[in-house]
Amino acid sequence: RWGSRLGNQAKMESAPFRLVNSVFNSDAAVQGGDECYVLGTALSIDERILAVSSSNHVIKLYDPNTLGLFGQLAGHTNTIQDVVFSRNPEQPHLLFSCSDDSTLQIWDARQGFLVRRINVQGEEILSCSVNCNGTLLAAGTHKGVIRLWDLRTGKQLTAFQDSHSDEVTQVRFHPSIPNLFVSGGEDMLLILFDLTQNDEDDCILSTMNCEHPVSRVTFFGPQHDHVAIVSTASPTLSLWNIDSAERVSHFTDVRVSPLSAATLAANGQDNGGVPGLPVDYLIDAHYESFSQRLFVSAGTFSGDVGLLHVNQHYVQMANQLVGGHSSIVRSCVSASDSSSFISGGEDSKISLWSSAPTNPL
C-alpha cells in the first residue's frame, strides 16, 4: 500500500531543480502589448510536444526540451478550460481541448490542423478526458452534465444529467482501465463510473463527498486505485481509495500540515519552529510512478513554486522552484522520469526546470 510505504519516510530526498529557460508565451507580452496568460499545459505521452492554452483562446505548441515555439492552433473563441493529449501510444499527437465557447476540438498537434470539432450548444465545457485506448471522450459542463462520445464513430453515446448538481470541473479516465472514469465538481462530489453498464444509475460505482470543491483529480498508486483531490483556492487536499470509496487522508490546509519542527529542521527548513509551508495556493497533483511517490505543486502570489511530497499523515516541501515567474502559476507538468518540470503562469511566461546535473566545462 502506498500509505504504509511512504509513512516510514521521515525525510524526502529530491534532486534540486534549476531554471533552464524561461520564455514569454506571446510576442505581445515582450513588446508591451496585451499579456497572454498561460491557462493550462499538457505534455504528449511521448514527451515530444508541449501544448499551452492561452488567454487569447489560442493553443501554442512548444518543444518541451528547449521551449522552442513551433506552431499554434487557433479555433476557439472563448476561454480554453482544458487541454489533454491522447494516452494511446499509437496516437501521441492527438490533442483535445474544450472551451467556454461550447466546443470540444480535436487536433493533430504534429501537423497543426483541426481533426474534428464537436459542438455542445448552450453548455460551457470545463473539462475533457480521453480513455487509455483512445476510443472514448468525456466532457464535463457548467450545467452539471457529463457527456460521452465514441471517437471511432464521432457519435455521442450518452449524457449523465443527474449525477452532479453543480458545475463538473474535472473528468478523468483511469490510466489503464478504459471503461472507468471519475468526475468531480463544485457540488463537492467525486463520482466513479463504470461505462460497461447501461444507464446512469447503474454506471455509478461510488460517490464520495470531498467536503470541498474539486479543482483537480489525479490517479495514483501502483494500481492507480487512489485519487488525489486538489481544491486550488482553499488550499485543500484529500486522498481517496476508489475501490473502497474511503478517504485515507485529508489536509484542510496544506500550509499548516502537521509536520514537527524536528522534521522541518531535518529537511533544512526554517519556519521559526511553527509547522507550516510557505505557499499560498495549490496547482495540481503529480504521481511519480517509478518511485510510487505523490507530489503536489503549490505556488506563491509572487511566482515561486513548491513541490510538496505527500505522505499519508503529512505534507512536506521536497523542492522549491524560485525565479521563473513573477505572478500566479496556473499550470505545471512533469516529465515521466521527473528530470524536468514545466510551469506556466499569469506573467505570460513558461519556465523549464531540470534536476539533471550541469556538465562541467
Side-chain angles (χ1 to χ4, degrees):
R1 287 175 54 86
W2 77 272
S4 59
R5 183 179 185 277
L6 296 184
N8 295 324
Q9 296 185 19
K11 183 177 180 179
M12 252 297 299
E13 297 293 343
S14 184
F17 279 94
R18 58 185 174 84
L19 181 62
V20 175
N21 193 15
S22 190
V23 300
F24 279 100
N25 190 44
S26 67
D27 293 337
V30 177
Q31 297 166 3
D34 292 336
E35 293 186 348
C36 189
Y37 292 177
V38 173
L39 300 180
T41 53
L43 186 64
S44 62
I45 192 172
D46 60 4
E47 302 189 351
R48 294 182 178 180
I49 305 173
L50 172 70
V52 176
S53 59
S54 309
S55 57
N56 63 350
H57 319 322
V58 171
I59 300 169
K60 296 199 172 183
L61 304 174
Y62 293 87
D63 181 336
N65 297 304
T66 64
L67 296 187
L69 177 68
F70 67 86
Q72 66 177 24
L73 308 171
H76 287 293
T77 59
N78 207 332
T79 303
I80 299 171
Q81 294 287 356
D82 206 359
V83 284
V84 295
F85 274 99
S86 169
R87 309 316 294 171
N88 184 346
E90 297 180 0
Q91 301 172 318
H93 56 284
L94 283 186
L95 177 69
F96 300 77
S97 60
C98 63
S99 168
D100 287 351
D101 64 10
S102 302
T103 70
L104 289 123
Q105 300 192 21
I106 306 173
W107 308 87
D108 185 326
R110 182 179 53 196
Q111 300 295 327
F113 64 84
L114 182 66
V115 176
R116 184 185 303 166
R117 178 182 286 110
I118 300 173
N119 291 287
V120 183
Q121 194 65 32
E123 294 181 61
E124 298 170 6
I125 307 174
L126 306 182
S127 182
C128 61
S129 183
V130 186
N131 68 346
C132 58
N133 59 16
T135 60
L136 297 174
L137 171 65
T141 80
H142 83 293
K143 291 186 176 181
V145 179
I146 301 166
R147 298 186 181 274
L148 292 135
W149 290 265
D150 185 332
L151 289 173
R152 294 163 294 190
T153 65
K155 295 182 179 180
Q156 181 173 305
L157 295 174
T158 189
F160 297 158
Q161 303 189 54
D162 301 322
S163 299
H164 287 279
S165 60
D166 206 335
E167 295 181 350
V168 178
T169 50
Q170 280 276 276
V171 288
R172 288 293 181 260
F173 275 98
H174 191 279
S176 59
I177 304 175
N179 57 288
L180 291 185
F181 81 95
V182 294
S183 64
E186 287 292 320
D187 58 5
M188 306 186 188
L189 298 182
L190 180 77
I191 303 175
L192 175 65
F193 294 91
D194 178 4
L195 296 178
T196 61
Q197 304 304 309
N198 293 323
D199 60 38
E200 182 172 355
D201 288 339
D202 291 339
C203 284
I204 296 177
L205 294 180
S206 58
T207 301
M208 294 153 268
N209 184 0
C210 300
E211 299 181 11
H212 56 86
V214 176
S215 302
R216 300 285 185 271
V217 179
T218 301
F219 285 90
F220 72 97
Q223 305 302 319
H224 296 104
D225 54 0
H226 289 73
V227 290
I229 312 299
V230 169
S231 183
T232 55
S234 304
T236 303
L237 170 69
S238 60
L239 311 177
W240 291 78
N241 182 318
I242 59 172
D243 289 339
S244 63
E246 294 179 337
R247 186 169 65 189
V248 295
S249 296
H250 185 56
F251 304 97
T252 56
D253 188 338
V254 299
R255 295 171 296 187
V256 289
S257 172
L259 194 62
S260 69
T263 307
L264 282 166
N267 283 275
Q269 297 173 257
D270 182 10
N271 268 10
V274 179
L277 295 171
V279 297
D280 297 311
Y281 56 90
L282 299 184
I283 304 169
D284 209 342
H286 314 268
Y287 180 58
E288 193 176 80
S289 57
F290 68 89
S291 68
Q292 299 180 12
R293 297 185 298 189
L294 178 67
F295 295 87
V296 170
S297 51
T300 67
F301 295 133
S302 60
D304 295 337
V305 175
L307 294 181
L308 314 179
H309 176 234
V310 182
N311 186 288
Q312 188 172 1
H313 304 293
Y314 54 80
V315 177
Q316 64 188 109
M317 186 70 73
N319 236 314
Q320 289 180 289
L321 285 62
V322 179
H325 296 278
S326 59
S327 186
I328 291 172
V329 174
R330 287 289 198 101
S331 185
C332 299
V333 290
S334 175
S336 58
D337 63 358
S338 297
S339 62
S340 63
F341 192 82
I342 297 172
S343 54
E346 293 187 2
D347 57 0
S348 305
K349 291 174 70 177
I350 306 165
S351 292
L352 171 63
W353 311 81
S354 175
S355 62
T358 56
N359 294 323
L361 296 177

